[in-house]
Amino acid sequence: MYQQFNEQFAAATRQFADTAAQVNRLALDNAEAVFGLQIAAIEDRVNATFAFFGEAAEARDADAFKTLWPKGVQIARENLERVVSTGQEAFGRTLKANEAIAELAKSQIETAAKATQANVEKAAKAATKATAPAAK
């Protein structure tokens, strides 16, 4: 009797460990992708900003500064746009990863419910068989 409980417990533990490993893999893959997105965006914007600062450092007269003003505004606008788009993309990726994790959890709950239902039916049949000869 104890052997059956031990086997069921070991099977459930293995299933939980496998699921936890899958969830961790999904979460780490998502974190890696989001981190890569953010690093790429930062690198791109830092390069553009430093290029603008290089041009600004070379400006010597008022006319050069007049031409720099629209470029500075353009760089600031592009920086803001990139921050927003990167944030939206990171949010979308995280949402997809969370949906995949939720799907894993749902399948595990359904599997556990089916196994439990099968065990209940098996125990009910065994109890019926055990009480049937005693009733005669």
Side-chain angles (χ1 to χ4, degrees), residues 65-128:
F65 284 113
K66 285 181 186 178
T67 61
L68 280 176
W69 178 254
K71 288 181 182 180
V73 171
Q74 178 68 22
I75 294 291
R77 185 179 63 79
E78 288 174 359
N79 286 350
L80 184 60
E81 287 174 354
R82 184 68 188 255
V83 165
V84 170
S85 69
T86 301
Q88 288 174 340
E89 190 172 348
F91 181 76
R93 286 178 183 250
T94 301
L95 189 62
K96 286 180 183 178
N98 287 342
E99 287 173 353
I101 290 170
E103 190 63 36
L104 274 173
K106 179 182 173 187
S107 69
Q108 289 302 311
I109 290 170
E110 289 173 353
T111 301
K114 287 178 186 176
T116 302
Q117 183 65 30
N119 286 337
V120 167
E121 289 173 2
K122 185 178 175 182
K125 286 179 185 177
T128 303

Side-chain angles (χ1 to χ4, degrees), residues 3-73:
Q3 183 66 23
Q4 181 184 8
F5 291 128
N6 286 341
E7 288 174 8
Q8 288 176 350
F9 181 75
T13 303
R14 277 191 300 276
Q15 185 178 8
F16 175 75
D18 290 343
T19 303
Q22 289 174 340
V23 167
N24 285 336
R25 182 186 46 78
L26 286 170
L28 286 174
D29 287 348
N30 179 61
E32 180 182 1
V34 168
F35 187 71
L37 262 171
Q38 292 173 340
I39 291 295
I42 289 170
E43 180 183 11
D44 180 47
R45 294 295 81 211
V46 165
N47 288 340
T49 302
F50 279 121
F52 171 74
F53 284 148
E55 288 180 37
E58 294 175 3
R60 301 286 180 229
D61 59 358
D63 289 333
F65 284 113
K66 285 181 186 178
T67 61
L68 280 176
W69 178 254
K71 288 181 182 180
V73 171

